[in-house]
Amino acid sequence: MATIFSKGLSTNTRRWSDLDLDFTAHPVTKDIVTKNDVEAVKRSIRNLILTNRYERPFQPELDGGVTRHLFELSTPHTKYDVESAVRTAISNFETRAEVLDIVVGGNLDRNGFDVTINFRVINDPEPVTIELFLERLR
Amino acid sequence: MPTSDKLAITDLEFDTIKSNLKTFLKAQSQFQDYDFEGSGMSVLIDLLAYNTHYIGYYANMLGNEMFLDSSSLRESIISHAKHLNVMPTSRTAAKAKLNFTFRPSGTPTTLTIAKGTQFTSTINGVAYTFVTNAATSVPRSTTGTYVSLAVEVTEGKILNKAYTVVDDSAQRFIIPNVNVDTSTITVKVQKASGDSEVFTYTNGDAVDVTTIKGTDRVYFLQEIEDQKYEITFGDGTVGKQLSTGNIVFIEYIVSNGTLANKASSFTPVATVADLSIGSGTPGFDLTTNTNATGGADLQTASSIQFQAPKLYQAQKRATTKNDYKAIILEQRSDIVSQSMVVRMQILFNMEKFLLHLNQLATILLVLMQRPPLKMIY
């Protein structure tokens, strides 16, 4: 995996762009919609966290790390484990994001966890928030 | 790796393929996030690399299986051997010979040791079953004794399978068991369920195919998947063709191969010729004439790869040293290589000796027929 430094990222003029895996067509151009800048990083983090171990061919180490906790009882320990897993995954595999805070809350009615990730894109001082709902089946 | 708008296509490893795709994308301007593992582009690159790797692996395996030397699947090796007219040897049952002395209560003209009479022998705590593969008639001698020497018993179990021929060209006649000794296979065909006439078919592989007529009752044998065997019949031009409603009976022995070699002590499972073992009258005595020998395992894939070209080279001749080697390899796969070489040498020397003897006899004959030499003083 290439590191962010190999891209020569020293200014905030760097633009991020990525494909949207929903493959939505642009209403006017009919081309595939792209995700840019912060949205690209947000989508990347979301993809990363929802990836299970051995899901990617030949990359068994690539793991969001949360799925195994979703079958546990909703206790403070489990919430801490989920938070730790999310933090580790971003730290290992998404070098564009600097995590500021992660809040994990149990959602007993829906049998899942609400996860709020506050982070900063490395070339952008503005904090960004992603809200995810993690459940056993998706 | 340098950035290039040309895609490298010679690599087969997943990581290298992925790296090549990234190198290719670096030369494009549309997307920048292909090298972050969570990005959508990365997911697609993984998919592309996986697909390429999959096809590359498939093509590689396909290429390997196309040649006898590089094939790894037994089915492929057998298919290549088939082109060389080589049939891999099957598992072979060990055979022993037994002597019987019967003492019946009356004075019957003959006694019969029925086909399928069972005996057991134990080797290292494991019991093996031996059966007679043919009925043996024991006539009363002039002195009134009933002695049968060297009755052959074969290790294994006699099994049967029957098929009714249906109007379907895809019908296959497969022997459903593994570990079959193909030398024990017998094939019989009944004309129809209402017609009890049964014809015995012979092994067409054992005769010259050009001599087989369209009316000859022959079957052909081939090894198929999972180390099983399939029986095929003629097409009306080479061998008689089956008709709808025919019933095919296949009988064969399933054996333990080498495990039953050296069995030396045999006990009858039940009565033999309706007599029980024992020293009294009626009764019979049983002694071992020859210990069990000849049991061999299925020819291995590597052995087929080694032998098939040699057997093809020999073309069933017995002229050169290598021809003898090929014949021995084909007929006695249980012989270890060292003793095989010795036997081969003996056979070859015997052949040379006979050749010399023949030449000597010819010379003598010529000398005897010519007029006597005149003595010159």
Side-chain angles (χ1 to χ4, degrees):
Chain A
M1 185 184 69
T3 64
I4 196 162
F5 305 106
S6 69
K7 287 175 167 287
L9 231 111
S10 57
T11 67
N12 60 0
T13 56
R14 185 76 166 88
R15 273 180 62 85
W16 310 103
S17 61
D18 193 10
L19 281 173
D20 182 3
L21 284 182
D22 291 338
F23 292 110
T24 319
H26 191 281
V28 179
T29 64
K30 304 297 182 191
D31 202 354
I32 293 172
V33 171
T34 55
K35 294 283 182 188
N36 296 310
D37 295 330
V38 172
E39 283 304 311
V41 180
K42 280 171 75 174
R43 182 55 67 102
S44 176
I45 289 174
R46 182 175 168 276
N47 289 341
L48 188 62
I49 290 169
L50 297 179
T51 301
N52 294 322
R53 189 180 291 271
Y54 296 110
E55 203 168 88
R56 290 287 190 89
F58 299 93
Q59 287 175 282
E61 76 285 355
L62 185 62
D63 179 26
V66 297
T67 313
R68 72 181 74 100
H69 302 298
L70 301 181
F71 290 86
E72 302 291 331
L73 295 174
S74 178
T75 63
H77 290 294
T78 314
K79 290 174 190 170
Y80 174 78
D81 288 341
V82 171
E83 181 197 328
S84 177
V86 170
R87 193 182 293 277
T88 306
I90 295 173
S91 165
N92 285 343
F93 300 109
E94 188 45 87
T95 46
R96 291 172 296 184
E98 183 186 328
V99 175
L100 301 174
D101 186 29
I102 296 173
V103 180
V104 179
N107 190 328
L108 298 178
D109 293 334
R110 295 174 64 192
N111 294 318
F113 292 106
D114 290 313
V115 179
T116 306
I117 305 165
N118 293 309
F119 69 98
R120 187 177 70 81
V121 178
I122 207 158
N123 62 342
D124 190 344
E126 288 296 316
V128 185
T129 301
I130 308 176
E131 291 186 349
L132 293 170
F133 177 68
L134 302 178
E135 56 184 339
R136 291 172 204 174
L137 302 174
R138 63 182 173 94
Chain B
M1 192 176 288
T3 302
S4 167
D5 58 353
K6 291 185 174 58
L7 191 55
I9 57 168
T10 53
D11 299 294
L12 289 173
E13 291 293 326
F14 178 86
D15 289 335
T16 326
I17 295 165
K18 190 174 171 183
S19 170
N20 289 341
L21 287 170
K22 282 182 178 178
T23 307
F24 174 72
L25 279 173
K26 275 178 187 170
Q28 318 298 318
S29 56
Q30 289 90 339
F31 300 103
Q32 286 92 45
D33 285 1
Y34 41 79
D35 58 352
F36 292 97
E37 297 301 341
S39 69
M41 279 300 286
S42 179
V43 173
L44 289 183
I45 290 171
D46 277 342
L47 192 67
L48 285 169
Y50 182 57
N51 187 48
T52 306
H53 178 79
Y54 190 103
I55 298 293
Y57 178 82
Y58 182 74
N60 183 52
M61 290 303 291
L62 193 67
N64 282 344
E65 297 302 314
M66 285 172 72
F67 302 96
L68 180 63
D69 290 335
S70 53
S71 295
S72 4
L73 296 175
R74 183 178 177 85
E75 286 83 354
S76 307
I77 292 167
I78 287 167
S79 180
H80 290 303
K82 203 185 290 178
H83 293 165
L84 300 175
N85 194 27
V86 171
M87 171 76 177
T89 53
S90 70
R91 178 171 282 205
T92 312
K95 292 183 176 70
K97 288 179 178 169
L98 306 179
N99 295 338
F100 294 89
T101 306
F102 294 101
R103 290 179 299 278
S105 54
T107 54
T109 316
T110 57
L111 295 173
T112 303
I113 304 170
K115 178 183 177 181
T117 305
Q118 294 188 348
F119 302 85
T120 57
S121 183
T122 303
I123 303 172
N124 297 329
V126 181
Y128 296 97
T129 303
F130 286 73
V131 292
T132 51
N133 200 22
T136 305
S137 185
V138 188
R140 182 160 54 101
S141 70
T142 50
T143 56
T145 57
Y146 298 83
V147 178
S148 184
L149 300 176
V151 175
E152 189 174 83
V153 288
T154 308
E155 188 274 322
K157 288 180 181 169
I158 299 176
L159 298 175
N160 293 281
K161 176 72 182 171
Y163 286 98
T164 302
V165 179
V166 294
D167 187 15
D168 178 10
S169 59
Q171 186 179 18
R172 300 178 78 187
F173 304 100
I174 294 171
I175 297 175
N177 297 83
V178 293
N179 303 330
V180 172
D181 180 348
T182 55
S183 67
T184 64
I185 293 173
T186 57
V187 178
K188 292 177 180 174
V189 177
Q190 187 177 330
K191 220 169 181 182
S193 58
D195 185 342
S196 59
E197 195 175 8
V198 175
F199 299 96
T200 300
Y201 278 53
T202 55
N203 187 356
D205 295 315
V207 294
D208 185 354
V209 71
T210 57
T211 65
I212 300 173
K213 296 191 287 292
T215 52
D216 288 348
R217 293 188 170 90
V218 292
Y219 70 88
F220 302 95
L221 192 69
Q222 62 179 356
E223 188 180 329
I224 54 166
E225 60 274 7
D226 302 329
Q227 302 178 5
K228 291 179 181 171
Y229 291 92
E230 180 184 9
I231 286 169
T232 55
F233 293 89
D235 57 359
T237 306
V238 178
K240 188 175 171 61
Q241 194 169 23
L242 293 178
S243 309
T244 304
N246 284 169
I247 304 167
V248 178
F249 298 101
I250 309 166
E251 187 181 279
Y252 51 94
I253 287 180
V254 169
S255 156
N256 286 297
T258 53
L259 295 177
N261 279 340
K262 299 180 184 173
S264 57
S265 178
F266 297 87
T267 310
V269 171
T271 58
V272 179
D274 294 330
L275 296 170
S276 299
I277 192 165
S279 56
T281 302
F284 73 91
D285 293 328
L286 170 64
T287 55
T288 304
N289 180 305
T290 310
N291 290 349
T293 182
D297 286 330
L298 181 77
Q299 189 173 13
T300 61
S302 58
S303 170
I304 302 167
Q305 281 174 312
F306 174 70
Q307 290 184 16
K310 292 175 176 54
L311 292 168
Y312 177 67
Q313 196 178 28
Q315 294 282 334
K316 298 191 176 177
R317 293 167 312 209
T319 308
T320 67
K321 195 192 294 182
N322 282 335
D323 294 346
Y324 279 95
K325 190 176 176 183
I327 290 167
I328 294 167
L329 282 170
E330 187 181 28
Q331 296 190 355
R332 288 299 300 269
S333 56
D334 58 311
I335 297 173
V336 292
S337 58
Q338 192 61 39
S339 65
M340 182 195 69
V341 169
V342 174
R343 285 171 192 224
M344 180 192 73
Q345 201 66 49
I346 291 167
L347 279 170
F348 184 61
N349 290 339
M350 201 182 290
E351 174 85 354
K352 280 204 297 189
F353 173 71
L354 288 171
L355 194 68
H356 290 319
L357 204 63
N358 189 29
Q359 285 171 345
L360 194 65
T362 311
I363 292 165
L364 279 172
L365 201 65
V366 169
L367 285 174
M368 283 166 71
Q369 286 172 352
R370 44 177 296 152
L373 292 171
K374 289 178 181 174
M375 303 297 284
I376 302 168
Y377 296 99

